[in-house]
Amino acid sequence: VQLQASGGGLVQAGGSLRLSCAASGRTFSISVMGWFRQAPGKEREFVAAIITWSGGPTYYADSVKGRFTISRDNAKNTVYLQMNSLKPEDTAVYYCAADRCSDWQMSHSAPSSFESWGQGTQVTVSS
């Protein structure tokens, strides 16, 4: 599976951005897709995940609940991260990831639980 992330940029605090992650290759094997972020000097952290089958649940880190929304378009093999009410502390490189785990849960939200990764896209929120 190959993942291509896009949509990052510079935005003022309170603004919005939408990230996209297009999957290619053996996409039928993907059960979960997620977004992670890594700020300078910090570890990569979980942001959101979505189970790829129709009606599958979504999961969010507490820090983004109510502001970020993860969604998917299975016809396009693409996952989106709509980010609203952005804060300077959301500044980071954002990465999309995918895994074949059929019973993925929040307990599997460590980066090491995802086997496929896209390149990062920079999100910078100015105050």
Side-chain angles (χ1 to χ4, degrees):
V1 173
Q2 294 78 46
L3 303 174
Q4 180 72 39
S6 61
L10 172 65
V11 64
Q12 289 188 332
S16 299
L17 281 174
R18 188 177 80 156
L19 306 182
S20 300
C21 177
S24 60
R26 297 173 65 88
T27 57
F28 62 87
S29 67
I30 299 173
S31 295
V32 55
M33 292 188 71
W35 287 96
F36 289 76
R37 65 187 182 186
Q38 188 166 16
K42 295 187 177 181
E43 294 186 351
R44 191 169 299 189
E45 66 175 5
F46 171 81
V47 175
I50 187 166
I51 304 303
T52 56
W53 44 262
S54 181
T58 56
Y59 304 84
Y60 298 93
D62 288 343
S63 59
V64 306
K65 278 181 182 177
R67 300 188 299 122
F68 291 10
T69 302
I70 189 170
S71 62
R72 66 185 178 280
D73 183 335
N74 287 344
K76 296 181 178 180
N77 292 317
T78 299
V79 170
Y80 305 97
L81 185 68
Q82 177 67 42
M83 305 184 295
N84 298 329
S85 301
L86 282 161
K87 305 175 180 179
E89 51 264 44
D90 295 317
T91 295
V93 177
Y94 283 70
Y95 298 89
C96 63
D99 198 73
R100 295 174 291 172
C101 179
S102 60
D103 62 346
W104 191 91
Q105 301 172 42
M106 275 294 285
S107 59
H108 301 160
S109 61
S112 58
S113 296
F114 285 76
E115 62 181 356
S116 300
W117 290 85
Q119 91 293 357
T121 184
Q122 177 71 46
V123 171
T124 303
V125 184
S126 63
S127 57

